[in-house]
Amino acid sequence: MSWPTVAGLEITTFQQQMAVTYGERDGARGVPATVAWLAEEMGELARAVRKGTRDEQLHELGDVLAWLASLANQLDLSLDSAADRYVNGCPKCGASPCKC
Amino acid sequence: MSWPTVAGLEITTFQQQMAVTYGERDGARGVPATVAWLAEEMGELARAVRKGTRDEQLHELGDVLAWLASLANQLDLSLDSAADRYVNGCPKCGASPCKC
């Protein structure tokens, strides 16, 4: 099975945009610093989910996605390939909906 | 500016796949439980980055992306829309590469 397309944003396009926008700076900071930033953004997302507005939640979802993409770039790994793990549904039981 | 397409996985397609695969179960667990799962996966990713193989890192990147999508589903928010924040580069300075 392959992914159908619905003419929206492709994850690889987003990851490439992050490479252009932040690649040089994040590369200079190094992987551990990027993990730390991602963890910080994760905390901001958790806070927004608990007591933020929808706009704040959307903002923080975007930031976590951005730092996740930046980390993938530094690891030279593709988020598109990472998502393949779920292409047929749950990677553990192989079903969609999951039957685990 | 809009996103160009490169015929890869679209983020909305992935988010929809997560809704079909895990939506009912995650919805029953509730948002705080999903935040907790996402935090757990974030920890597994950090561990894989520090001392895992490339395959393990790819696996954990996929899991974080999956739980992020599942959280977005439960919040009724679109990761595609969340990514729009970065469509022109850095949301703070407006440049790509970032000049902050």
Side-chain angles (χ1 to χ4, degrees):
Chain A
M1 180 180 165
S2 61
W3 296 106
T5 55
V6 293
L9 168 62
E10 294 175 5
I11 189 69
T12 296
T13 305
F14 183 73
Q15 186 171 347
Q16 288 170 345
Q17 170 84 330
M18 293 304 97
V20 171
T21 304
Y22 299 114
E24 189 173 350
R25 195 179 61 184
D26 290 351
R29 280 185 182 137
V31 168
T34 301
V35 171
W37 270 94
L38 175 57
E40 181 173 332
E41 294 297 342
M42 178 61 222
E44 291 180 8
L45 173 59
R47 184 175 188 274
V49 169
R50 186 169 61 85
K51 62 178 186 177
T53 64
R54 285 179 64 78
D55 276 355
E56 287 165 346
Q57 292 169 358
L58 193 69
H59 174 138
E60 300 302 343
L61 282 170
D63 284 357
V64 170
L65 188 62
W67 282 96
L68 190 66
S70 192
L71 178 59
N73 281 329
Q74 285 191 64
L75 298 171
D76 194 24
L77 291 170
S78 154
L79 284 183
D80 185 301
S81 298
D84 274 346
R85 178 166 155 69
Y86 290 89
V87 69
N88 290 317
C90 175
K92 289 181 183 158
C93 70
S96 183
C98 169
K99 295 178 181 172
C100 284
Chain B
M1 181 181 164
S2 61
W3 297 106
T5 55
V6 293
L9 167 62
E10 294 175 6
I11 188 69
T12 295
T13 305
F14 183 74
Q15 185 170 347
Q16 288 170 345
Q17 171 84 330
M18 292 306 96
V20 170
T21 304
Y22 299 114
E24 189 171 350
R25 195 179 61 184
D26 291 351
R29 281 185 180 136
V31 168
T34 301
V35 171
W37 271 93
L38 175 58
E40 182 173 334
E41 294 297 341
M42 177 62 222
E44 292 180 9
L45 173 60
R47 185 176 186 275
V49 169
R50 184 169 64 84
K51 61 177 184 178
T53 64
R54 284 179 64 78
D55 277 355
E56 288 165 346
Q57 292 170 358
L58 193 69
H59 173 138
E60 300 302 343
L61 282 170
D63 284 355
V64 171
L65 188 61
W67 282 97
L68 190 66
S70 191
L71 177 59
N73 281 330
Q74 285 191 62
L75 298 171
D76 194 24
L77 291 170
S78 155
L79 283 183
D80 186 300
S81 297
D84 273 346
R85 179 166 155 69
Y86 290 87
V87 69
N88 291 315
C90 174
K92 289 180 183 160
C93 70
S96 182
C98 169
K99 295 177 180 171
C100 284

